Amino acid sequence: QVQFVESGGGPVQPGGSLRLSCAASESIFSTITMDWYRQAPGKERELVARSWRDTTTYYTGSVKGRFTISRDNAKSTMYLQMNNLKPEDTAVYYCNDINLSADWGQGTQVTVSS
């Protein structure tokens, strides 16, 4: 079963930037659609961004224009560049494929606070 490992989170001030990474245990990125999710305290996990195989992307409204999803298929790694971060972006960020093939990993915590 494929596994994904998220990294790159941390504390950041409002307006700052972070780049998250999602590494896959298998070379599958070139064949599947990949997603970034996040879960804030007391809230349900929500889809943040999606990257289709043909490089088409989707962003939820609250992050559009601030976040950029990208992938390096050769490295089996996906990224989420997050700019102009806001306190409401505070959450644990997860990655998975569109079919939710992998068990949810530990995620990476992003905390936006002054």
Side-chain angles (χ1 to χ4, degrees):
Q1 181 184 21
V2 65
Q3 293 180 325
F4 300 108
V5 178
E6 305 90 351
S7 62
V12 62
Q13 292 186 341
S17 298
L18 285 174
R19 188 176 82 154
L20 307 184
S21 298
C22 168
S25 59
E26 302 173 9
S27 300
I28 60 172
F29 274 18
S30 62
T31 64
I32 60 174
T33 298
M34 289 294 299
D35 294 333
W36 278 103
Y37 288 83
R38 68 185 178 187
Q39 186 167 21
K43 295 187 177 181
E44 294 187 353
R45 202 184 323 251
E46 65 167 342
L47 177 65
V48 175
R50 174 168 288 167
S51 171
W52 278 270
R53 291 181 295 168
D54 65 355
T55 72
T56 302
T57 57
Y58 159 84
Y59 300 94
T60 192
S62 62
V63 308
K64 197 172 297 183
R66 301 187 296 120
F67 290 12
T68 302
I69 189 172
S70 62
R71 59 166 72 187
D72 185 334
N73 291 335
K75 295 182 179 180
S76 296
T77 302
M78 177 174 68
Y79 305 97
L80 186 67
Q81 177 67 43
M82 307 186 297
N83 298 328
N84 190 22
L85 282 160
K86 302 177 180 181
E88 51 263 43
D89 296 318
T90 294
V92 180
Y93 285 71
Y94 303 88
C95 59
N96 213 321
D97 64 67
I98 193 172
N99 298 314
L100 301 182
S101 300
D103 293 335
W104 291 108
Q106 292 187 337
T108 186
Q109 174 72 49
V110 173
T111 303
V112 185
S113 174
S114 56

